[in-house]
Amino acid sequence: MTKRVVFAANWKMHMGPEGAGAFCDVFLKQFEARDDREVWFFPPAVTLPTVVARVKGTGILVGAQNVFWEPKGAFTGELSVPLTREAGGAAALIGHSERRHVFSESIEETGRKVRAVLDGGLAPVFCVGEQLAERESGNTIKVVVDQLGALNGLSSEDLDRTIIAYEPVWAIGTGKTATPRDASEVHTAIRAWMIQHGADDKGVRVLYGGSVKPANAEVLLAEAEIDGVLVGGASLDPESWQKIVSVEVN
Ligand code: PGA
């Protein structure tokens, strides 16, 4: 069976329950589930139950944008994996560049979070990516491999359940996209790392993120190394998101 392409919407700190309801009214009217693809939403925590309720029966999956590694306790302001699961979440983004660079999340912390997500029965979407200065100094692969180090020691089964999202930091929200070739080169290195550490070569999924739009989604997804897209800005508009999730992929 061929891998299913992933179309993941990262709504960041946008879309309350009301806005998400209005989005779903428009988006779900046109949406048709297809065997060759998966559609995921990562809404803000307060909106997650609304989206879970609205997409019921459509095959669309919903996840959290971030979780803490402890399952429960006195951690004011944090969201746990069990709470996410209870609310109907199936996945969690971990290590998004905004978590790393705005909230100073360390590689070690991302590793603890990925383990918590796996132990709690959700699917981690583990984000990696270099900053502009790191790319310009030729360190892209080194930076990404260092970030992947958070997954060191995971079993093959756990690596198989972990989706990687490569998001060059300089491409996020900037309108600049990595060329499909540049992205492919990093995806190839990520895939090699995953296989070397025990993942099944047929199961590894590496998504691309960073200014993905209806106009560039098709050419990015035409790359054999790109197994899906993680989309911020262009997923906030139901029409534009509809165009992206309908892209033909061979
Ligand atoms: P963008 O964000 O599509 O707005 O660049 C992508 C992301 O941060 O996941």
Side-chain angles (χ1 to χ4, degrees):
M1 199 191 115
T2 49
K3 274 184 289 197
R4 302 175 86 204
V5 177
V6 175
F7 295 83
N10 174 12
W11 281 354
K12 308 193 180 186
M13 205 166 69
H14 304 286
M15 292 275 205
E18 203 177 313
F23 179 106
C24 289
D25 284 344
V26 178
F27 178 75
L28 294 175
K29 220 179 265 166
Q30 306 170 59
F31 177 73
E32 274 174 43
R34 290 172 51 163
D35 286 345
D36 65 347
R37 58 197 61 200
E38 293 173 17
V39 175
W40 302 45
F41 282 94
F42 292 91
V46 291
T47 308
L48 191 140
T50 305
V51 180
V52 167
R54 292 300 300 266
V55 302
K56 206 165 172 211
T58 63
I60 293 174
L61 295 175
V62 187
Q65 296 174 9
N66 174 45
V67 289
F68 188 47
W69 55 78
E70 293 292 344
K72 63 177 184 207
F75 302 105
T76 302
E78 292 296 324
L79 175 65
S80 72
V81 173
L83 290 179
T84 303
R85 201 174 154 153
E86 185 183 328
L93 295 179
I94 298 296
H96 188 277
S97 77
E98 286 141 26
R99 300 298 319 165
R100 293 179 192 269
H101 301 301
V102 184
F103 300 100
S104 307
E105 206 164 279
S106 69
I107 290 176
E108 196 252 325
E109 287 170 331
T110 62
R112 294 176 79 164
K113 289 182 175 193
V114 167
R115 280 164 180 78
V117 171
L118 289 163
D119 290 349
L122 304 189
V125 177
F126 183 62
C127 307
V128 295
E130 82 289 1
Q131 300 186 76
L132 187 57
E134 294 165 336
R135 170 160 285 266
E136 286 174 343
S137 58
N139 284 320
T140 297
I141 302 290
K142 183 190 174 310
V143 168
V144 167
V145 165
D146 281 353
Q147 292 170 341
L148 288 171
L151 310 181
N152 262 328
L154 287 185
S155 66
S156 296
E157 294 73 45
D158 280 347
L159 281 179
D160 289 341
R161 291 169 52 206
T162 304
I163 294 177
I164 310 292
Y166 168 57
E167 298 201 300
V169 180
W170 49 270
I172 295 178
T174 58
K176 293 184 193 143
T177 325
T179 63
R181 228 178 112 194
D182 286 342
S184 256
E185 195 187 324
V186 184
H187 282 225
T188 303
I190 293 171
R191 195 178 308 282
W193 190 97
M194 293 288 280
I195 293 166
Q196 202 183 354
H197 287 77
D200 176 352
D201 57 350
K202 284 182 225 49
V204 177
R205 291 200 281 186
V206 188
L207 318 184
Y208 171 79
S211 295
V212 175
K213 305 262 180 299
N216 61 19
E218 188 159 354
V219 44
L220 286 161
L221 287 166
E223 292 290 316
E225 290 291 324
I226 299 182
D227 303 311
V229 286
L230 177 57
V231 185
S235 72
L236 290 169
D237 171 57
E239 305 286 351
S240 117
W241 184 231
Q242 184 66 50
K243 283 190 188 132
I244 293 174
V245 303
S246 314
V247 155
E248 283 311 321
V249 186
N250 294 314

